Amino acid sequence: MGRANRAVVSYATALAGLAVLVACTELSPPQGEETFRQYCAGCHGRGGVGNGPWAARLPVPPADLTVLRAANDGVFPVEHVMATVHGYPGKHDFSVMPEFGPLLEGPKQIWVSSEGEEIMTPVALLELVSYVETLQR
């Protein structure tokens, strides 16, 4: 086989591999969405409006996650959402929202706060908060 034919075959093989990768990626939901379904939808509902199957049993209604940006002058409150999901000391004094930090441990990456602080943050937490941002009306 000549050099030109090998190049065409290599290119075709690469395209086929890319097509398989894209197809597989599109078939599986983004990780943040899957995490939301697993840990959040029971209370907040699949769409995030606070109507999950457990919502009626809670002493405090779950937040409507679709209006977070609107309630903050058009800015999605990333840091507040991350702190609420991850958890922090004393949180249970005023909330029934569980702390999910230990469940979201795993690979970390640097996230830069609004004040420019670089913080090693679980990728699963970043993906979950990114998904919640997509739910905004």
Side-chain angles (χ1 to χ4, degrees):
M1 183 183 301
R3 180 182 287 178
N5 286 341
R6 279 187 290 220
V8 169
V9 169
S10 292
Y11 182 72
T13 302
L15 282 178
L18 182 59
V20 168
L21 178 63
V22 168
C24 290
T25 301
E26 290 176 3
L27 291 175
S28 63
Q31 195 60 42
E33 181 178 356
E34 182 58 35
T35 302
F36 184 87
R37 284 183 194 159
Q38 184 175 1
Y39 296 123
C40 311
C43 296
H44 295 282
R46 290 182 70 100
V49 296
N51 63 349
W54 302 330
R57 296 182 205 132
L58 298 174
V60 177
D64 179 347
L65 302 178
T66 66
V67 298
L68 297 174
R69 180 173 37 223
N72 288 281
D73 299 321
V75 176
F76 183 73
V78 173
E79 293 177 43
H80 176 73
V81 175
M82 287 194 341
T84 301
V85 171
H86 194 269
Y88 47 87
K91 176 177 156 186
H92 289 287
D93 293 341
F94 60 89
S95 174
V96 295
M97 171 85 176
E99 295 179 14
F100 288 104
L103 298 172
L104 299 173
E105 289 304 321
K108 295 182 180 185
Q109 71 181 41
I110 293 175
W111 172 77
V112 181
S113 75
S114 60
E115 290 153 12
E117 184 180 3
E118 294 183 353
I119 303 167
M120 290 303 291
T121 306
V123 171
L125 177 61
L126 295 172
E127 290 173 344
L128 174 59
V129 172
S130 288
Y131 177 71
V132 172
E133 188 170 9
T134 70
L135 299 176
Q136 303 309 292
R137 292 189 248 169

